Amino acid sequence: MVGLVLPRLVSFEGAPRRSASVAERNLTSLRSAYWLVLISGFLEPVLYLFSIGIGVGTLVGDLTLPGGRVVSYAGFVAPAMLASSAMTGALAETTFNFFGKMKYMKLYDGIIATPVQPFEIALGELGWAMIRGALYSAAFLVVMVAMDLTSVGRAVTAFPAAVLVGFAFGALGMAVATFMRSWQDFDLMGSAQFTLFLFSGTFVPAEAYPAVLRWVVELSPLYRSVHLIRGISVGAAGWSWLLDVAYLLALTGVGLLVASRRMGRLLYK
């Protein structure tokens, strides 16, 4: 069985074109109700920004970042909401929707009857997920600029960083989805996602946590994402952004590798 799977996994000739076809299939199957899902996914971080970033921010006042830069609390929270928005958009596509297509719709069973390989399916689904994540990120950056929480130049620079965040979480979510057995497993994933949202330097600096918990926080993928985008948005990252980028690139690569290999085992069994 392994011998049947591996040759299809390692052949990359024509992969970009076939992966694009998978993404295009998602685009052509869109329904009007899908846009309501997009709008609701965008509004959630915006509401958090208004309620906590601005509401609680009036009580907290300004914050001094580790580099000595002073920012408003809304300016501190907004990049974290952007990272969270990119994470949420990517995970929604590559976990819930991906799982339904694979396990219940049996969509990929038909696709692998064509020359498309599991890796190309994973890459195409990830690319489609990033369209959603990029829309969220672009819209949220417009809100940040309109609220004077960042400059236009920094917003333009933060956009590809947000896209990278989406790629990393999309690949991770797809890998996790291949291990899920039923819809009930999504309760665990939702709990993990909400825990990351609360404890990734989103609302308080990582330095506020006890030493042991701080190291755990700083190893989480959402913290590295928040750290990267916050550094770009307020100009406080220095060269530490290289570590964040390397972390997210590695997460993307590992996630894609695991997802494609797991799909190969599940679809060719």
Side-chain angles (χ1 to χ4, degrees):
M1 182 62 67
V2 175
L4 294 175
V5 176
L6 289 183
R8 293 176 64 87
L9 288 176
V10 298
S11 175
F12 294 99
E13 184 179 354
R17 175 176 51 82
R18 291 192 290 265
S19 297
S21 297
V22 174
E24 184 181 0
R25 181 263 166 205
N26 287 306
L27 182 62
T28 56
S29 65
L30 277 182
R31 298 180 180 179
S32 57
Y34 187 81
W35 297 105
L36 296 176
V37 176
L38 289 180
I39 293 172
S40 64
F42 161 70
L43 285 178
E44 181 179 347
V46 173
L47 293 176
Y48 269 112
L49 175 60
F50 278 101
S51 63
I52 298 179
I54 297 178
V56 177
T58 58
L59 302 176
V60 175
D62 295 338
L63 290 178
T64 303
L65 300 180
R69 188 178 182 87
V70 178
V71 298
S72 67
Y73 188 67
F76 176 82
V77 169
M81 293 298 100
L82 173 57
S84 175
S85 178
M87 173 187 74
T88 301
L91 285 179
E93 285 292 342
T94 59
T95 54
F96 192 86
N97 292 344
F98 177 81
F99 178 77
K101 293 173 188 175
M102 181 172 63
K103 188 171 180 67
Y104 293 98
M105 295 174 63
K106 302 296 183 181
L107 176 65
Y108 305 131
D109 292 70
I111 291 179
I112 61 170
T114 71
V116 180
Q117 304 173 27
F119 176 81
E120 294 158 354
I121 295 175
L123 193 60
E125 290 291 352
L126 182 58
W128 168 245
M130 280 321 306
I131 295 176
R132 179 171 175 172
L135 287 173
Y136 284 177
S137 300
F140 195 87
L141 282 167
V142 170
V143 173
M144 288 178 62
V145 172
M147 294 176 63
D148 198 27
L149 299 178
T150 190
S151 66
V152 174
R154 292 191 182 279
V156 171
T157 308
F159 178 72
V163 171
L164 174 60
V165 171
F167 267 114
F169 276 100
L172 176 63
M174 200 181 309
V176 171
T178 61
F179 288 94
M180 290 185 174
R181 298 158 298 178
S182 67
W183 295 114
Q184 284 70 33
D185 291 340
F186 282 91
D187 293 336
L188 296 174
M189 196 203 76
S191 298
Q193 186 176 340
F194 191 63
T195 301
L196 282 177
F197 176 69
L198 292 178
F199 297 99
S200 294
T202 312
F203 301 110
V204 296
E207 292 75 16
Y209 296 112
V212 175
L213 182 57
R214 174 185 171 183
W215 286 109
V216 175
V217 167
E218 291 185 348
L219 287 174
S220 73
L222 185 56
Y223 175 82
R224 302 317 322 176
S225 305
V226 170
H227 186 266
L228 172 62
I229 295 178
R230 182 174 285 148
I232 295 173
S233 300
V234 303
W239 289 102
S240 60
W241 64 269
L242 290 173
L243 175 61
D244 302 325
V245 170
Y247 181 106
L248 294 172
L249 286 174
L251 185 62
T252 303
V254 171
L256 272 175
L257 178 63
V258 172
S260 60
R261 288 187 177 275
R262 285 282 303 166
M263 285 182 67
R265 294 191 181 99
L266 293 171
L267 294 175
Y268 293 125
K269 66 180 180 179

